Amino acid sequence: MSQPGSSESIKSVLHETRRFPPPADFTAQANISSEEQYQEMWNRAKDDPAGFWGEIATETLSWSKPFDKACEGTMPNTKWFGGGQINACYNCVDRHALTWRKNKAAIIWEGEPGDTRVLTYGDLQREVSKFANVLKQLGVETGDRVTLYMPMIPELAIAMLACARIGATHSIIFGGFSADAVADRNNDAQSKVVVTADAGWRRGKEVPLKSAVDESLKKSTTVEKVVVVRRTGSPVNMVPDRDYWWHDLMAKASADCEAVAVDAEHPLFILYTSGSTGKPKGVLHTTAGYLLGAQMSTRWVFDLREEDTYWCTADIGWITGHSYICYGPLANGASVVMYEGAPNWPDNGRFWEIIEKYKVSIFYTAPTAIRAFIKWGDEWPNKHDLSSLRLLGSVGEPINPEAWMWYHKVIGAERCPIVDTWWQTETGAIMISPLPGITSTKPGSCTRPLPGVVPDIVTKSGKSLGPNEGGLLVMKQSWPSMLRTLYGDHDRYLKTYFSDIEGCYFAGDGARRDEDGFYWVMGRVDDVLNVSGHRLSTMEVESALVSHPLVAEAAVVGFPHEIKGEGICCFVIPKGQTPEDAAKQDLINHVRKQIGALATPDQIRFTSALPKTRSGKIMRRLLRDIAAGKESQGDTTTLEDYTVLAKLREEDE
Ligand code: WTA
């Protein structure tokens, strides 16, 4: 991992003084409604994590066998709820279906073409039990891995909960990844079964999934069976004794399937995410701690109430969808809106139409989407009645204060608190966020840590920094929903998160804490890009480029992008003569094929040399300046060849 800057602290340039206290009527009804309550919870969780979380876990989760000890050992090898047995699916489905909530809407689904389905908790229990039996019949046992590569349809939630029901570990791959990416992840997780669909809908076009699975299986060594949901009806190739239609298997499946009690630390899911080296990391989350984190953060941050209609616009293929479409809200017995498609189909008003149609009260989206809405114009939200909204959320990247203000005014009508939630795939649940009933928000700040979260801002050598000094964001204490390992590579887990700062989890982000103790996250300090809120490693894109026959060497950096937050700029040294401009499209397509559409480069720049240090490390800082069209600010004294920068600028003209 590369370290930030050469000085000990990071310079922070953002100064924001506006404050937005919660409306009194919001505070009056909030789940956490006083500063004293928060302080008491936070201090207790810090001083006595086992006592704090132990009580909450006993009170709010349904256990098959009570745990002996809430928390043992220290980070990075903490064990939570040892001796306890539990089932995540039971907690998200059965315990509601067994009460009056059996006829409460669990999932209110809207397909992109406008078709809709509502599944009550009773329906969900039936469908999940049936699919759990299907998985068993296909040979899936407790502890096996199952890959889900699906569109945003109810079957995705059903399949993940069915895995949890029988103690199989799901590995969900976002539908925007390519066949090669699916094959890599299947092999790494040693998945036995893949669940997919013929295709999904996106902006009126079909996103083929089954054909990508077919291609990926040429390279997968462990997958035995494939289940295919019919979504668009397009013809697909079905291989006998390997591929089965979801509806055929479900028609014969029994709706009676016991939820298997698994150990608290049983692996619930693997989710691959990008790190600063080429190979994606299989972040592993376990059952009880993860579920508790997702459940409690939903209650505290979204102030969830029985009658809310809650909508998180993320794809379930990312951690936000795992924790805040599925596990968190369903553990709370909430009604969740799930939408299949794009925000601008058939027109730019689709999200606002959905809010009006279902009377959504809590809306959780990403800054990249908010920036697109701003660009499309206020007339789209203004056409719809958004008065059902009472709370807004943001996640995925720092939200720029102007986007925050637009969200507050145009969507929230200056009435709805905004929760800017900082967290990561690795943290499993929201870590730093306003509590909407008590926090006076500042646009651009994710404010303060939740109870049980003990962050700090430190220098590279681990020294705590004072107010407004930028540094590295770390966690000093274990929390229940933290990742437990990187699948199959515990050494990499230790090295990636725990080797930089002694005794701390290092998140990879730079941040500062202001005089009120509010956190301001500045973004990644390692070689990770944040493109539309999606994490990509510069190395992954570089490896993809270098695998093309035209490319000798490549360096990839991010640059500021109006909508996506960061765009992808690739500096490429070709083999031999500089190719025609047409070759750029070839390279772009090649990266898409290797990684997926989400990694589509915005710029390819052919160059004859790259700036390097004397030890041969590419000086990305300088490339970032060039990509952003800025004069180089930084120190160039270690540059191996001073003429390279000048050459790169010439090539730019
Ligand atoms: C960034 C998404 C600032 C951050 C849940 C983090 C944020 C990475 C915020 C994790 C926020 C996420 N403010 N930055 N509110 N939320 N980030 O794993 O850089 O896809 O490390 O998890 O996104 O991305 P991931």
Side-chain angles (χ1 to χ4, degrees), residues 273 318-320 394-399 420-426 432 446 507-509 521-524 530 533-535:
T273 189
W318 307 111
I319 191 67
T320 305
S394 169
V395 62
E397 54 180 308
I399 179 167
D420 172 4
T421 63
W422 179 89
W423 60 296
Q424 309 179 292
T425 304
E426 292 86 344
I432 308 182
C446 53
D509 282 342
V521 173
M522 303 188 280
R524 305 289 306 187
N530 193 331
H534 301 150
R535 281 165 64 174

Side-chain angles (χ1 to χ4, degrees), residues 89-315:
C89 178
Y90 181 88
N91 275 272
C92 290
V93 181
D94 300 60
R95 67 165 163 163
H96 309 304
L98 294 169
T99 68
W100 68 268
R101 289 197 190 110
K102 65 181 178 293
N103 290 320
K104 176 177 177 177
I107 297 177
I108 302 168
W109 176 80
E110 173 140 325
E112 194 186 72
D115 45 341
T116 62
R117 278 163 69 188
V118 176
L119 282 103
T120 63
Y121 277 94
D123 295 333
L124 198 56
Q125 186 190 36
R126 184 187 65 242
E127 296 302 303
V128 164
S129 301
K130 282 168 78 174
F131 196 65
N133 279 325
V134 165
L135 289 173
K136 284 203 269 187
Q137 184 201 325
L138 294 176
V140 177
E141 293 171 11
T142 303
D144 284 344
R145 270 80 54 217
V146 175
T147 293
L148 312 180
Y149 181 60
M150 300 172 74
M152 281 283 286
I153 53 178
E155 284 80 359
L156 173 51
I158 292 167
M160 65 199 286
L161 291 164
C163 288
R165 192 169 192 86
I166 60 171
T169 302
H170 56 73
S171 163
I172 305 186
I173 306 176
F174 173 62
F177 280 110
S178 68
D180 287 355
V182 174
D184 287 348
R185 287 159 175 73
N186 279 342
N187 289 337
D188 191 78
Q190 298 165 293
S191 287
K192 205 169 187 179
V193 167
V194 175
V195 186
T196 188
D198 46 7
W201 290 112
R202 186 85 192 170
R203 238 166 251 123
K205 291 208 190 86
E206 289 189 40
V207 180
L209 295 170
K210 175 60 167 64
S211 58
V213 169
D214 290 341
E215 204 188 319
S216 77
L217 291 192
K218 292 179 193 155
K219 295 184 195 160
S220 299
T221 46
T222 58
V223 175
E224 294 165 15
K225 306 282 181 195
V226 178
V227 183
V228 188
V229 179
R230 182 175 279 153
R231 169 63 184 135
T232 64
S234 283
V236 293
N237 177 38
M238 297 291 280
V239 176
D241 298 326
R242 188 196 75 182
D243 301 351
Y244 303 86
W245 286 109
W246 172 288
H247 54 263
D248 286 344
L249 297 173
M250 289 291 271
K252 291 179 231 133
S254 149
D256 201 4
C257 177
E258 203 198 333
V260 179
V262 297
D263 289 340
E265 288 286 1
H266 184 76
L268 179 62
F269 65 85
I270 300 169
L271 182 57
Y272 286 87
T273 189
S274 295
S276 48
T277 58
K279 195 170 163 279
K281 305 179 289 195
V283 168
L284 184 99
H285 281 288
T286 57
T287 306
Y290 169 80
L291 190 64
L292 186 65
Q295 172 185 269
M296 295 318 295
S297 55
T298 306
R299 239 178 250 189
W300 293 335
V301 174
F302 297 115
D303 190 51
L304 193 72
R305 305 171 67 82
E306 191 69 74
E307 62 275 24
D308 273 314
T309 300
Y310 164 97
W311 183 22
C312 162
T313 68
D315 192 291

Side-chain angles (χ1 to χ4, degrees), residues 202-203 311 313-314 339 341-345 347-355 363-382 386 389 392-394 399 402-403 406-408 410-412 562-564:
R202 186 85 192 170
R203 238 166 251 123
W311 183 22
T313 68
Y339 169 57
N344 53 351
W345 188 266
D347 64 36
N348 294 340
R350 187 63 183 273
F351 274 16
W352 321 123
E353 184 193 314
I354 292 175
I355 290 176
F363 179 64
Y364 189 31
T365 195
T368 183
I370 296 169
R371 289 190 295 266
F373 302 145
I374 296 173
K375 197 169 165 204
W376 296 339
D378 296 4
E379 64 267 30
W380 296 101
N382 288 348
L386 305 181
L389 290 172
L392 304 174
S394 169
I399 179 167
E402 291 329 300
W406 182 89
Y407 201 27
H408 171 70
V410 181
I411 306 305
E562 201 190 337
I563 304 289
K564 297 200 262 185

Side-chain angles (χ1 to χ4, degrees), residues 39-50 52-53 449-455 476-478:
Q39 291 295 344
E40 197 187 301
M41 287 168 82
W42 196 84
N43 288 329
R44 166 109 201 268
K46 177 172 174 284
D47 298 337
D48 176 20
F52 176 81
W53 288 113
L450 298 192
V453 176
V454 186
K476 294 166 74 170
Q477 192 169 299
S478 178

